[in-house]
Each structure stands twice: as C-alpha cells, then as structure tokens.
Amino acid sequence: MDDASYCATPVPAGPEAEADAGPPFAECVLCREPTEYPESTRGATLCPVCAWQEAGRSACSG
C-alpha cells in the first residue's frame, strides 16, 4: 500500500482561516491569548492552558 496522503502533513491554517472561525473571542486575563469564549462574556476569562494551571494551583493550595 503506497498511499502518499496517509503520511502527508496537513497545511497549517493561515490568518484568513482564523478570520472565518466565528465571532471574536475574549482575551485570557493572564496571557492575553484568545479563549473559547466570545468577547461579550463577562468576568475574568481564561484560555484552556491558564484555566488548567489555575485549577492545579487551587487544588494544591488546600
């Protein structure tokens, strides 16, 4: 079986793909990366990485 597409590396999405991704997302309050939440979300929004780190900190601070 010699299927070249099996091991082909996908082409990374450029800025134009991000523009079509949907509504603008809120910035993380710690690292300023985009979050999973729309800009209209109220409160302190965290990206998945910072949310995971904060959960680890709060779990170990007991």
Coordinates of all heavy atoms in Angstrom, one line a residue:
M1 N 0.9 -1.2 0.0 CA 0.0 0.0 0.0 C 0.9 1.2 0.0 O 1.6 1.5 0.9 CB -0.9 0.0 1.2 CG -1.9 1.1 1.3 SD -3.1 0.8 2.5 CE -2.8 2.0 3.7
D2 N 0.8 2.0 -1.1 CA 1.7 3.2 -1.2 C 0.8 4.4 -1.3 O 0.7 5.0 -2.4 CB 2.6 3.0 -2.4 CG 3.6 4.1 -2.5 OD1 4.0 4.7 -1.4 OD2 4.0 4.5 -3.6
D3 N 0.1 4.8 -0.2 CA -0.8 6.0 -0.2 C 0.0 7.2 0.3 O 0.2 7.3 1.5 CB -2.0 5.7 0.6 CG -3.0 6.7 0.5 OD1 -2.9 7.7 -0.3 OD2 -4.0 6.7 1.2
A4 N 0.4 8.1 -0.5 CA 1.2 9.3 -0.1 C 0.4 10.2 0.8 O 0.9 10.9 1.7 CB 1.7 10.0 -1.3
S5 N -0.9 10.2 0.7 CA -1.7 11.1 1.5 C -1.8 10.6 3.0 O -2.2 11.4 3.9 CB -3.1 11.3 0.9 OG -3.8 10.0 1.0
Y6 N -1.5 9.3 3.2 CA -1.6 8.8 4.6 C -0.6 9.5 5.5 O -1.0 9.8 6.7 CB -1.3 7.3 4.6 CG -1.4 6.7 5.9 CD1 -2.6 6.4 6.5 CD2 -0.2 6.3 6.6 CE1 -2.7 5.8 7.8 CE2 -0.3 5.8 7.9 CZ -1.5 5.5 8.4 OH -1.5 5.0 9.7
C7 N 0.6 9.8 5.1 CA 1.6 10.4 5.9 C 1.8 11.9 5.6 O 2.7 12.5 6.1 CB 2.9 9.7 5.7 SG 2.9 8.0 6.4
A8 N 0.9 12.4 4.8 CA 1.1 13.8 4.5 C 0.8 14.7 5.7 O -0.1 14.5 6.5 CB 0.1 14.2 3.3
T9 N 1.6 15.7 5.8 CA 1.5 16.7 6.9 C 0.4 17.7 6.5 O 0.5 18.3 5.4 CB 2.8 17.4 7.2 OG1 3.8 16.4 7.5 CG2 2.6 18.4 8.3
P10 N -0.6 18.0 7.3 CA -1.6 19.0 6.9 C -1.0 20.4 6.8 O -0.1 20.7 7.6 CB -2.7 18.9 8.0 CG -2.0 18.2 9.2 CD -0.9 17.4 8.6
V11 N -1.6 21.1 5.9 CA -1.1 22.5 5.8 C -1.7 23.4 6.9 O -2.9 23.3 7.1 CB -1.6 23.1 4.4 CG1 -1.2 24.5 4.3 CG2 -1.0 22.2 3.3
P12 N -0.9 24.1 7.7 CA -1.4 24.9 8.7 C -2.3 26.0 8.2 O -2.1 26.5 7.1 CB -0.2 25.5 9.4 CG 0.9 25.3 8.4 CD 0.6 24.2 7.5
A13 N -3.3 26.3 9.0 CA -4.3 27.3 8.6 C -3.7 28.7 8.8 O -3.0 29.0 9.7 CB -5.5 27.2 9.5
G14 N -3.9 29.6 7.8 CA -3.3 30.9 7.8 C -4.3 31.9 8.5 O -5.3 31.5 9.0
P15 N -3.9 33.2 8.5 CA -4.8 34.2 9.2 C -6.2 34.3 8.6 O -7.1 34.6 9.3 CB -4.0 35.5 8.9 CG -2.7 35.1 8.4 CD -2.7 33.7 8.0
E16 N -6.3 34.0 7.3 CA -7.6 34.0 6.7 C -8.5 33.0 7.2 O -9.7 33.2 7.3 CB -7.6 34.1 5.2 CG -6.7 33.2 4.3 CD -5.2 33.2 4.5 OE1 -4.6 34.2 4.6 OE2 -4.7 32.1 4.4
A17 N -8.0 31.8 7.6 CA -8.8 30.8 8.2 C -9.3 31.2 9.6 O -10.4 30.9 10.0 CB -8.1 29.5 8.3
E18 N -8.5 31.9 10.3 CA -8.8 32.4 11.7 C -9.9 33.4 11.6 O -10.8 33.5 12.4 CB -7.6 32.9 12.4 CG -6.6 31.9 12.8 CD -5.4 32.4 13.4 OE1 -5.4 33.6 13.8 OE2 -4.4 31.7 13.5
A19 N -9.9 34.2 10.5 CA -10.9 35.3 10.4 C -12.3 34.7 10.1 O -13.3 35.3 10.5 CB -10.5 36.2 9.2
D20 N -12.4 33.5 9.6 CA -13.6 32.8 9.3 C -14.1 31.9 10.4 O -15.0 31.2 10.3 CB -13.5 32.0 8.0 CG -13.4 32.9 6.8 OD1 -13.8 34.1 6.9 OD2 -12.8 32.4 5.8
A21 N -13.3 31.9 11.5 CA -13.6 30.9 12.6 C -14.8 31.3 13.4 O -15.2 30.5 14.3 CB -12.3 30.9 13.5
G22 N -15.4 32.4 13.3 CA -16.6 32.8 14.0 C -16.4 34.2 14.7 O -15.6 35.0 14.2
P23 N -17.2 34.4 15.7 CA -17.1 35.7 16.4 C -15.8 35.9 17.0 O -15.1 35.0 17.3 CB -18.2 35.6 17.4 CG -18.4 34.2 17.7 CD -18.1 33.5 16.4
P24 N -15.4 37.2 17.3 CA -14.2 37.4 18.0 C -14.2 36.9 19.4 O -15.2 36.9 20.1 CB -14.1 39.0 18.0 CG -15.4 39.5 17.7 CD -16.1 38.4 17.0
F25 N -13.1 36.3 19.8 CA -13.0 35.7 21.1 C -12.4 36.6 22.2 O -11.5 37.4 21.8 CB -12.2 34.4 21.0 CG -12.9 33.3 20.2 CD1 -12.5 33.1 18.9 CD2 -13.9 32.6 20.7 CE1 -13.1 32.2 18.1 CE2 -14.6 31.7 19.9 CZ -14.2 31.4 18.6
A26 N -12.8 36.4 23.4 CA -12.2 37.2 24.5 C -10.8 36.9 24.8 O -10.4 35.7 24.5 CB -13.0 37.0 25.8
E27 N -10.0 37.8 25.3 CA -8.6 37.5 25.6 C -8.5 36.9 27.0 O -9.3 37.2 27.9 CB -7.8 38.8 25.7 CG -7.4 39.4 24.3 CD -6.5 40.6 24.5 OE1 -6.4 41.2 25.6 OE2 -5.9 41.0 23.5
C28 N -7.5 36.0 27.2 CA -7.2 35.5 28.5 C -6.7 36.6 29.4 O -5.9 37.4 29.0 CB -6.2 34.4 28.4 SG -5.6 33.7 30.0
V29 N -7.2 36.7 30.6 CA -6.7 37.8 31.5 C -5.3 37.6 32.0 O -4.7 38.6 32.5 CB -7.7 38.0 32.7 CG1 -9.1 38.4 32.3 CG2 -7.8 36.7 33.6
L30 N -4.7 36.4 31.9 CA -3.4 36.2 32.3 C -2.3 36.3 31.2 O -1.3 37.0 31.3 CB -3.3 34.8 33.0 CG -4.1 34.7 34.2 CD1 -4.0 33.2 34.8 CD2 -3.7 35.7 35.3
C31 N -2.6 35.6 30.0 CA -1.6 35.6 29.0 C -2.0 36.3 27.7 O -1.2 36.4 26.8 CB -1.3 34.1 28.7 SG -2.6 33.2 27.9
R32 N -3.2 36.8 27.6 CA -3.8 37.6 26.5 C -4.0 36.7 25.2 O -4.1 37.3 24.2 CB -2.9 38.8 26.3 CG -2.8 39.6 27.5 CD -2.3 41.0 27.4 NE -3.0 41.9 26.5 CZ -3.9 42.7 26.8 NH1 -4.3 42.8 28.1 NH2 -4.5 43.5 25.9
E33 N -3.9 35.4 25.4 CA -4.2 34.5 24.2 C -5.8 34.5 24.1 O -6.5 34.7 25.0 CB -3.7 33.1 24.5 CG -2.2 33.0 24.4 CD -1.6 33.3 23.1 OE1 -2.2 32.8 22.1 OE2 -0.6 33.9 23.0
P34 N -6.3 34.1 22.9 CA -7.7 34.0 22.7 C -8.3 32.9 23.5 O -7.6 31.8 23.7 CB -7.9 33.8 21.2 CG -6.6 33.6 20.6 CD -5.5 33.9 21.6
T35 N -9.5 33.0 24.1 CA -10.1 32.0 24.8 C -11.2 31.3 24.0 O -11.3 31.6 22.8 CB -10.8 32.6 26.1 OG1 -11.8 33.5 25.7 CG2 -9.8 33.4 26.9
E36 N -11.9 30.4 24.6 CA -13.0 29.8 23.9 C -14.3 30.6 24.1 O -15.4 30.1 23.6 CB -13.2 28.4 24.6 CG -12.0 27.5 24.4 CD -12.2 26.2 25.2 OE1 -13.0 26.2 26.2 OE2 -11.5 25.2 24.9
Y37 N -14.3 31.7 24.7 CA -15.5 32.5 25.0 C -15.6 33.7 24.1 O -14.5 34.3 23.7 CB -15.4 33.0 26.4 CG -15.2 31.9 27.4 CD1 -14.0 31.7 28.0 CD2 -16.3 31.0 27.8 CE1 -13.8 30.6 28.9 CE2 -16.1 30.0 28.7 CZ -14.9 29.8 29.3 OH -14.7 28.8 30.1
P38 N -16.8 34.1 23.7 CA -16.9 35.3 22.9 C -16.5 36.6 23.6 O -16.5 36.5 24.9 CB -18.4 35.3 22.5 CG -19.1 34.4 23.5 CD -18.1 33.4 24.0
E39 N -16.3 37.6 22.9 CA -15.9 38.9 23.6 C -17.0 39.4 24.5 O -16.7 40.1 25.5 CB -15.5 40.0 22.6 CG -14.2 39.8 22.0 CD -13.8 41.0 21.1 OE1 -14.8 41.7 20.6 OE2 -12.7 41.2 20.8
S40 N -18.2 39.0 24.3 CA -19.3 39.5 25.1 C -19.4 38.9 26.5 O -20.2 39.3 27.3 CB -20.6 39.3 24.4 OG -20.8 38.0 24.1
T41 N -18.5 37.8 26.7 CA -18.6 37.1 28.0 C -18.1 38.1 29.1 O -17.1 38.7 29.0 CB -17.7 35.9 28.0 OG1 -18.1 35.1 26.9 CG2 -17.7 35.1 29.3
R42 N -18.8 38.1 30.2 CA -18.5 39.0 31.4 C -17.6 38.2 32.3 O -17.7 37.0 32.4 CB -19.8 39.4 32.1 CG -20.7 40.2 31.1 CD -21.9 40.5 31.8 NE -21.8 42.0 32.1 CZ -22.7 42.6 32.9 NH1 -23.7 42.0 33.5 NH2 -22.5 43.9 33.1
G43 N -16.8 38.9 33.1 CA -16.0 38.3 34.1 C -14.6 38.0 33.6 O -14.2 38.4 32.4
A44 N -13.8 37.3 34.4 CA -12.4 37.0 34.0 C -12.4 35.8 33.2 O -12.7 34.7 33.7 CB -11.6 36.8 35.3
T45 N -12.0 35.9 31.9 CA -11.9 34.8 31.0 C -10.5 34.2 31.0 O -9.5 35.0 31.0 CB -12.4 35.1 29.6 OG1 -11.6 36.3 29.2 CG2 -13.8 35.5 29.6
L46 N -10.3 32.9 31.0 CA -9.0 32.3 30.9 C -9.0 31.3 29.7 O -10.0 30.7 29.4 CB -8.8 31.4 32.2 CG -8.7 32.2 33.5 CD1 -8.6 31.2 34.6 CD2 -7.5 33.1 33.5
C47 N -7.8 31.3 29.1 CA -7.6 30.3 28.0 C -7.5 28.9 28.6 O -7.4 28.8 29.8 CB -6.4 30.6 27.2 SG -4.8 30.4 28.1
P48 N -7.7 27.9 27.8 CA -7.6 26.5 28.4 C -6.3 26.2 29.2 O -6.4 25.5 30.2 CB -7.7 25.6 27.1 CG -8.5 26.4 26.1 CD -8.0 27.8 26.4
V49 N -5.2 26.7 28.7 CA -3.9 26.4 29.4 C -3.9 27.1 30.8 O -3.6 26.5 31.8 CB -2.7 26.9 28.5 CG1 -1.4 26.8 29.3 CG2 -2.7 26.1 27.3
C50 N -4.3 28.4 30.8 CA -4.3 29.1 32.1 C -5.4 28.6 33.0 O -5.2 28.5 34.3 CB -4.5 30.6 31.9 SG -3.0 31.4 31.1
A51 N -6.5 28.1 32.5 CA -7.6 27.5 33.3 C -7.1 26.3 34.0 O -7.3 26.0 35.2 CB -8.8 27.3 32.5
W52 N -6.3 25.5 33.2 CA -5.8 24.2 33.7 C -4.8 24.5 34.8 O -4.7 23.8 35.9 CB -5.2 23.4 32.6 CG -4.6 22.1 33.0 CD1 -5.2 21.0 33.3 CD2 -3.2 21.9 33.1 NE1 -4.3 20.0 33.6 CE2 -3.0 20.5 33.5 CE3 -2.0 22.7 33.0 CZ2 -1.8 19.9 33.8 CZ3 -0.8 22.1 33.2 CH2 -0.7 20.7 33.6
Q53 N -3.9 25.5 34.6 CA -2.9 25.8 35.6 C -3.5 26.4 36.8 O -3.1 26.1 38.0 CB -1.9 26.8 35.0 CG -1.0 26.2 33.9 CD -0.1 27.3 33.2 OE1 -0.4 28.5 33.3 NE2 0.9 26.8 32.5
E54 N -4.5 27.2 36.7 CA -5.2 27.7 37.9 C -5.9 26.6 38.7 O -5.9 26.7 39.9 CB -6.3 28.8 37.5 CG -5.7 30.1 37.1 CD -5.0 30.8 38.3 OE1 -5.7 30.9 39.4 OE2 -3.9 31.3 38.2
A55 N -6.5 25.7 38.0 CA -7.1 24.5 38.7 C -6.1 23.7 39.5 O -6.4 23.3 40.6 CB -7.8 23.6 37.6
G56 N -4.9 23.6 38.9 CA -3.9 22.9 39.6 C -3.4 23.6 40.8 O -3.2 23.1 41.9
R57 N -3.3 24.9 40.7 CA -2.9 25.8 41.8 C -3.9 25.7 43.0 O -3.6 25.6 44.1 CB -2.7 27.2 41.4 CG -1.4 27.4 40.6 CD -1.2 28.9 40.4 NE -0.3 29.1 39.2 CZ -0.7 29.6 38.1 NH1 -1.9 30.0 37.9 NH2 0.1 29.6 37.1
S58 N -5.2 25.8 42.6 CA -6.2 25.9 43.7 C -6.4 24.5 44.3 O -6.7 24.4 45.5 CB -7.5 26.4 43.1 OG -8.0 25.5 42.1
A59 N -6.1 23.4 43.6 CA -6.2 22.1 44.1 C -5.1 21.8 45.1 O -5.3 21.1 46.1 CB -6.2 21.0 43.0
C60 N -4.0 22.4 44.9 CA -2.8 22.1 45.7 C -2.6 23.1 46.9 O -1.7 23.0 47.6 CB -1.5 22.1 44.9 SG -1.5 20.8 43.7
S61 N -3.5 24.1 46.9 CA -3.4 25.1 48.0 C -4.2 24.8 49.2 O -4.3 25.7 50.1 CB -3.8 26.5 47.4 OG -5.2 26.5 47.1
G62 N -4.7 23.7 49.3 CA -5.6 23.3 50.4 C -5.0 23.2 51.7 O -5.3 23.4 52.8

